[in-house]
Amino acid sequence: MAAIELEGLTKDYGEVLANDDVTFSVERGEIFGYLGPNGAGKTTTIRTLLGFLSPTDGSARLLGRDVADEDELLEAKRRLGYLPDSPAFDETATGREILELHASIKGDERSDELLELFDPPIDRPIRDYSHGNVRKLGLVTTFMHDPELVILDEPTGGLDPLMQHRFTEFLREERERGVTVFFSSHILGEVRRLCDRVGIIRNGRLVTVEPVESLLDRSGKVVRLRAADPIPTERLAIDGVHDLETTPDRTSDTSTESTAESTREGTSQAFTECTFTFTGDVNTLLERLREYPLLDLSIEEAPLEDVFMRFYGSEEGGEENTAFDQHASATEVTDDV
């Protein structure tokens, strides 16, 4: 039985279709990344899963429980941890008082361990907390009752790089313990570091669900090279070369104006430096360049941001989608217990 199951989940606000026939499942014991630009529909899916919103159509199950059934949803939430994208605590209370409240409602199995790891200033009032400290306290309240499924909405916002690394290692350890983690993000690097599989949502529709390794393969490599002698641009006219940007050979007979224009079009006659994304066979690329002496060559993993542009198009409609998440926010129940 999957930890999370969505079947045709739809949320229609009339002017905006926030989730459109979203179907996927999250297996037990995996880290599943829910990926998309801001306003794509990630938070709407999470709020519907948690019963904060009622779907227009379709169904959802948490730990085998139907979220449309109040009693079943309550049973699932006893085994669930949830961190919203903007945790909200009583600003007059101290962190310690917040923890005591959560412990009285859902129990406390791990707060000492988590406080040592994330180190929020629990004896200070929440009104004195930075955004990062609020997030760290939220992580403690999310995991303190030792849940078997955790749902995290943009979990690293406000955390410094050291704490982000600590959080990444913690999630990996939780997966080893059998905890299922579902988290939404628009930060593609953290998805690369953590996830077993990813689902990509755009404009409310699920674009793909696939292993993160497949996504990395499709994003290709960033190639940068600098040559001692001019290289004809046609040497890079092979499958897998994308977004070619060249620095033209200044010693060629081509005029400066026409060379600049052809460089923008990726068709300059010759170049001495270039950058491009490559999704083909690296051996084929090296063979094409074998006869040219290179001064520098680097081949690095491409940023996953390229996946959106190359395979899923531009982020048109962003303002419209942000509007539906703001609409949903007005109906959110902020207490995650």
Side-chain angles (χ1 to χ4, degrees), residues 56-280:
T56 305
D57 200 4
S59 63
R61 300 180 72 84
L62 287 175
L63 300 172
R65 307 289 183 171
D66 185 354
V67 302
D69 184 298
E70 186 175 347
D71 291 335
E72 290 197 22
L73 178 60
L74 183 61
E75 176 60 29
K77 283 188 173 183
R78 291 193 177 100
R79 300 144 64 194
L80 172 74
Y82 168 53
L83 180 67
D85 57 347
S86 297
F89 301 113
D90 180 357
E91 293 193 348
T92 66
T94 65
R96 188 180 302 278
E97 289 169 335
I98 295 296
L99 293 179
E100 290 172 352
L101 173 63
H102 279 255
S104 69
I105 296 172
K106 60 188 181 186
D108 180 8
E109 304 293 331
R110 305 180 63 186
S111 67
D112 290 342
E113 165 201 352
L114 295 165
L115 287 170
E116 183 176 353
L117 181 66
F118 296 118
D119 196 28
I122 59 173
D123 291 318
R124 289 163 51 189
I126 302 300
R127 62 172 172 265
D128 294 337
Y129 274 32
S130 66
H131 181 51
N133 280 331
V134 169
R135 182 74 59 179
K136 289 189 284 186
L137 182 65
L139 288 171
V140 177
T141 62
T142 299
F143 287 92
M144 63 187 293
H145 58 298
D146 203 18
E148 60 184 275
L149 168 64
V150 178
I151 297 177
L152 309 171
D153 195 355
E154 303 284 356
T156 60
L159 299 181
D160 62 48
L162 177 61
M163 190 57 64
Q164 289 181 19
H165 176 74
R166 189 175 298 177
F167 172 71
T168 296
E169 293 303 310
F170 171 72
L171 279 193
R172 288 175 178 152
E173 292 171 1
E174 291 299 287
R175 175 178 56 192
E176 293 301 312
R177 296 177 60 246
V179 176
T180 306
V181 179
F182 175 89
F183 78 91
S184 76
S185 180
H186 69 283
I187 303 173
L188 303 172
E190 68 185 14
V191 172
R192 175 192 293 115
R193 293 189 297 270
L194 279 169
C195 292
D196 301 300
R197 291 190 304 145
V198 295
I200 294 179
I201 187 171
R202 178 177 178 270
N203 292 347
R205 293 189 63 87
L206 190 70
V207 177
T208 186
V209 174
E210 58 185 298
V212 71
E213 293 86 354
S214 299
L215 198 63
L216 291 172
D217 288 342
R218 298 177 74 188
S219 66
K221 306 289 184 182
V222 172
V223 179
R224 297 179 178 87
L225 68 85
R226 185 164 57 94
D229 299 320
I231 300 176
T233 302
E234 57 265 24
R235 299 303 294 173
L236 295 181
I238 59 176
D239 289 341
V241 173
H242 307 273
D243 308 322
L244 175 64
E245 298 180 4
T246 64
T247 299
D249 170 32
R250 298 302 182 184
T251 65
S252 70
D253 294 332
T254 309
S255 70
T256 301
E257 181 178 355
S258 62
T259 300
E261 178 64 28
S262 61
T263 299
R264 286 194 294 270
E265 299 298 324
T267 58
S268 61
Q269 292 182 344
F271 62 87
T272 53
E273 297 181 33
C274 73
T275 301
F276 57 93
T277 302
F278 188 61
T279 58

Side-chain angles (χ1 to χ4, degrees), residues 6 9-13 16-20 22 24 34 37 39-56 60 67 82 85 151 153 182 184 201 203-205 320-332:
L6 303 179
L9 191 71
T10 300
K11 183 61 180 179
D12 189 353
Y13 289 112
V16 177
L17 193 57
N19 279 177
D20 184 5
V22 175
F24 65 88
Y34 198 37
K42 305 184 298 295
T43 296
T44 295
T45 303
I46 289 175
R47 290 170 178 159
T48 305
L49 268 175
L50 294 170
F52 299 158
L53 299 173
S54 298
T56 305
V67 302
Y82 168 53
D85 57 347
I151 297 177
D153 195 355
F182 175 89
S184 76
I201 187 171
N203 292 347
R205 293 189 63 87
E320 181 181 20
N321 287 315
T322 299
F324 74 64
D325 269 350
Q326 290 172 345
H327 181 105
S329 180
T331 63
E332 180 183 9

